[in-house]
Amino acid sequence: AKNKNAAVEVLRQIYTNDAGPLPFPAAEALPEEFPVLAVWGDRDNLASIQGPVGRYFRDRARRLGATRFEEISAGHVPQDDAPGLTNRILSEWLVGID
């Protein structure tokens, strides 16, 4: 790893079951027009779509036109579980960014 301190921190989080910081402060600091895409697997057992982060980004997409929330049939890593669909969603989203 290029950043050994960051690698050690990731391992610490894994071994201590620490999920790390939640994204709420960072997301709230973004301008409302800042484009955000969340592709969420409906079978995610690590960060449930019904959990606080999933609910937050789903609600953010309802409130803000620049945020898009996509629920797909996948687990925690949708780009591995459904690469074709995830890439299609990402490609369509990128084309629409000004």
Side-chain angles (χ1 to χ4, degrees):
K2 290 183 180 183
N3 186 332
K4 292 187 191 247
N5 290 336
V8 169
E9 175 58 17
V10 168
L11 287 173
R12 185 198 66 76
Q13 290 175 8
I14 291 169
Y15 287 120
T16 63
N17 203 26
D18 176 357
L22 292 173
F24 308 127
E28 288 300 320
L30 296 173
E32 290 186 358
E33 65 277 3
F34 190 91
V36 174
L37 171 65
V39 180
W40 214 283
D42 61 358
R43 297 186 320 270
D44 188 336
N45 293 325
L46 294 175
S48 169
I49 200 165
Q50 284 82 29
V53 178
R55 286 194 316 265
Y56 172 83
F57 282 105
R58 183 178 296 204
D59 180 60
R60 183 181 172 93
R62 286 185 187 123
R63 290 184 294 108
L64 303 175
T67 298
R68 181 174 168 186
F69 185 91
E70 290 287 338
E71 178 180 343
I72 67 170
S73 180
H76 185 67
V77 187
Q79 66 271 23
D80 287 345
D81 296 340
L85 178 56
T86 303
N87 287 333
R88 183 178 57 76
I89 292 168
L90 180 58
S91 296
E92 290 172 359
W93 180 75
L94 286 170
V95 167
I97 292 178
D98 294 332

